[in-house]
Amino acid sequence: MKKLVTAALLSGLMVAGVTNAPAAMVSKNIVKLSVSATGANVSMASNMKVGGSKVGSATGTFQIDTKKNTLCYNVKTVGLANVLEAHIHVGAAGADGADIVPFNVAKFNKAGLTCIKSTAKILGGITMDPANYYFNVHTKAYADGAVRGQLALTK
């Protein structure tokens, strides 16, 4: 039955002139985000009094699938030695917050996406207001945070 409904829907969309219907249907479940993190932003948070790395940075792309409750990521770091951990934290620019999504830093600086599971509540919060969340990378020299950047929606 599900196949018949999908086939009928796709057939109707093709008649209506919509040729990329499968991609359009899937994209409603996928939210794309990005981040550009620097050490300059770290000192704004009150628990990071040491300040961030003056030479390090991280850029990342994230894809949240709200149906599968997964977050896929590709993160590149530059000038950051001895990366210990990285997270998405709750918190607007300049505010501290709890870490809610941990990353496998061994997967940073690799080709392709790495996917992790999370909860609908956490991923739903991020997709509803990405600017209220930040990405933070911790290193041995900057245990409280080497670089930080607010999440942003991308197309």
Side-chain angles (χ1 to χ4, degrees), residues 38-45 47-54 141-147:
T38 67
N41 295 327
V42 173
S43 60
M44 294 188 299
N47 74 338
M48 299 173 191
K49 294 177 178 36
V50 174
S53 170
K54 292 182 180 16
Y142 299 96
D144 287 331
V147 296

Side-chain angles (χ1 to χ4, degrees), residues 89-114:
H89 294 252
V90 177
D96 298 343
D99 57 305
I100 58 169
V101 178
F103 293 96
N104 179 349
V105 297
K107 301 291 184 175
F108 287 5
N109 302 310
K110 309 265 188 212
L113 293 172
T114 299

Side-chain angles (χ1 to χ4, degrees), residues 15-31:
V15 169
V18 179
T19 57
N20 63 346
M25 289 168 47
V26 171
S27 68
K28 289 183 181 182
N29 302 325
I30 305 293
V31 177

Side-chain angles (χ1 to χ4, degrees), residues 29-93:
N29 302 325
I30 305 293
V31 177
K32 295 182 179 184
L33 305 166
S34 65
V35 69
S36 179
T38 67
N41 295 327
V42 173
S43 60
M44 294 188 299
S46 64
N47 74 338
M48 299 173 191
K49 294 177 178 36
V50 174
S53 170
K54 292 182 180 16
V55 296
S57 66
T59 56
T61 58
F62 307 97
Q63 291 183 13
I64 294 176
D65 186 323
T66 58
K67 282 212 177 210
K68 296 179 182 177
N69 290 326
T70 58
L71 184 150
C72 299
Y73 63 94
N74 182 291
V75 174
K76 305 289 186 211
T77 61
V78 175
L80 296 176
N82 302 310
V83 173
L84 301 175
E85 56 189 9
H87 310 92
I88 290 177
H89 294 252
V90 177

